[in-house]
């Protein structure tokens, strides 16, 4: 079964922050499909299963803080799990090296410094799973990213999107819905083609 995991921080004050865009788009998807998520203490997560097209999909929102996202993944995939099953995982998360709303699917790639992804990598002991990155950094008219550096970065990623950014992300949420549907129905290669096209 395909498993889609939206990364974020669990407390209400993080709901509209940049670091929670993965959690946001997965939550929006399941609401639209009337899929119910419920707390699963064993997995430290909200989890639910539903049909996407004709296929069953499991949706997961870890209820740990971002840096400990791997605790949920470790509970779901013990050491006895076949490594082939990891290719049925799609982790969705924010990215500070891409412009706001831009999407990109990757497989078997480094974390890029994302602490949540690093935690998942340690839990699975591999990078061979799919990730959908969503850009969260505004860019100027020439496409140059306007992201802070040093200590300001931490405040930036846990900071809230402004109203204009949040409006822009409504289009991204719709696009992610289409990417997930394509990933499920037509496979990763087709979804990657859709996602990675600017």
């Amino acid at each position: 079964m395909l498993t889609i995991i939206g990364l974020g921080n669990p407390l209400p004050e993080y709901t509209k922050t940049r670091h929670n865009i993965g959690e946001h788009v997965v939550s929006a998807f399941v609401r639209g499909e009337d899929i119910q998520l419920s707390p699963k203490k064993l997995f430290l997560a909200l989890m639910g299963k539903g049909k996407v097209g004709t296929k069953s999909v499991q949706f997961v929102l870890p209820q740990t803080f971002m840096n400990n996202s791997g605790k949920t993944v470790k509970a779901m995939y013990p050491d006895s799990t076949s490594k082939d099953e990891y290719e049925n995982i799609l982790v969705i998360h924010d990215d500070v090296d891409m412009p706001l709303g831009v999407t990109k699917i990757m497989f078997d790639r480094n974390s890029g410094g994302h602490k949540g992804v690093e935690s998942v990598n340690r839990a699975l002991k591999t990078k061979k799973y799919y990730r959908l990155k969503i850009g969260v950094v505004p860019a100027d008219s020439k496409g140059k990213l306007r992201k802070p550096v040093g200590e300001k970065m931490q405040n930036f990623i846990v900071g809230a999107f402004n109203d204009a950014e949040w409006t822009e992300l409504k289009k991204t949420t719709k696009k992610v819905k289409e990417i997930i549907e394509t990933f499920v129905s037509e496979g990763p290669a087709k979804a990657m083609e859709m996602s990675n096209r600017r």
Side-chain angles (χ1 to χ4, degrees):
M1 181 185 295
L2 177 66
T3 297
I4 297 178
I5 304 172
L7 298 190
N9 287 308
L11 299 179
E13 57 261 37
Y14 293 105
T15 300
K16 289 190 174 183
T17 64
R18 293 175 178 86
H19 227 15
N20 272 47
I21 191 64
E23 182 273 340
H24 169 73
V25 297
V26 172
S27 293
F29 186 93
V30 299
R31 283 196 303 272
E33 298 297 312
D34 199 26
I35 296 169
Q36 302 300 313
L37 302 183
S38 58
K40 303 294 183 184
K41 289 184 179 181
L42 178 63
F43 301 105
L44 302 172
L46 297 176
M47 302 174 68
K49 296 177 183 177
K51 291 281 190 179
V52 177
T54 61
K55 296 183 180 179
S56 295
V57 180
Q58 178 173 233
F59 295 89
V60 181
L61 300 178
Q63 295 300 286
T64 63
F65 281 99
M66 177 70 82
N67 294 5
N68 293 316
S69 300
K71 289 185 176 181
T72 292
V73 176
K74 179 68 173 176
M76 293 175 60
Y77 297 94
D79 291 337
S80 60
T81 302
S82 168
K83 295 296 189 287
D84 292 340
E85 191 171 345
Y86 298 162
E87 296 189 16
N88 290 320
I89 299 172
L90 176 63
V91 174
I92 305 180
H93 63 90
D94 60 297
D95 188 274
V96 296
D97 292 315
M98 299 194 312
L100 183 73
V102 170
T103 59
K104 186 174 185 179
I105 291 180
M106 308 177 76
F107 180 80
D108 194 19
R109 299 290 293 273
N110 290 328
S111 68
H114 192 287
K115 301 301 183 184
V117 174
E118 289 176 1
S119 181
V120 173
N121 290 352
R122 289 193 299 271
L124 295 179
K125 299 179 182 177
T126 184
K127 297 174 288 185
K128 293 186 176 181
Y129 61 93
Y130 289 96
R131 289 161 43 208
L132 171 57
K133 306 192 301 181
I134 301 174
V136 296
V137 179
D140 62 22
S141 59
K142 296 182 179 179
K144 184 178 179 180
L145 296 181
R146 301 198 305 263
K147 69 176 185 178
V149 295
E151 294 179 358
K152 293 182 179 179
M153 176 56 76
Q154 181 61 33
N155 290 332
F156 175 78
I157 61 174
V158 297
F161 292 108
N162 62 39
D163 290 344
E165 291 170 337
W166 199 246
T167 299
E168 179 68 21
L169 286 170
K170 289 180 180 178
K171 293 185 290 185
T172 304
T173 302
K174 182 179 179 180
K175 180 182 179 183
V176 170
K177 181 179 187 296
E178 295 171 353
I179 292 168
I180 290 174
E181 291 170 341
T182 301
F183 194 99
V184 174
S185 64
E186 300 184 55
K190 191 68 176 179
M192 193 175 292
E193 179 182 326
M194 173 187 287
S195 169
N196 300 2
R197 184 173 60 239
R198 292 290 183 95

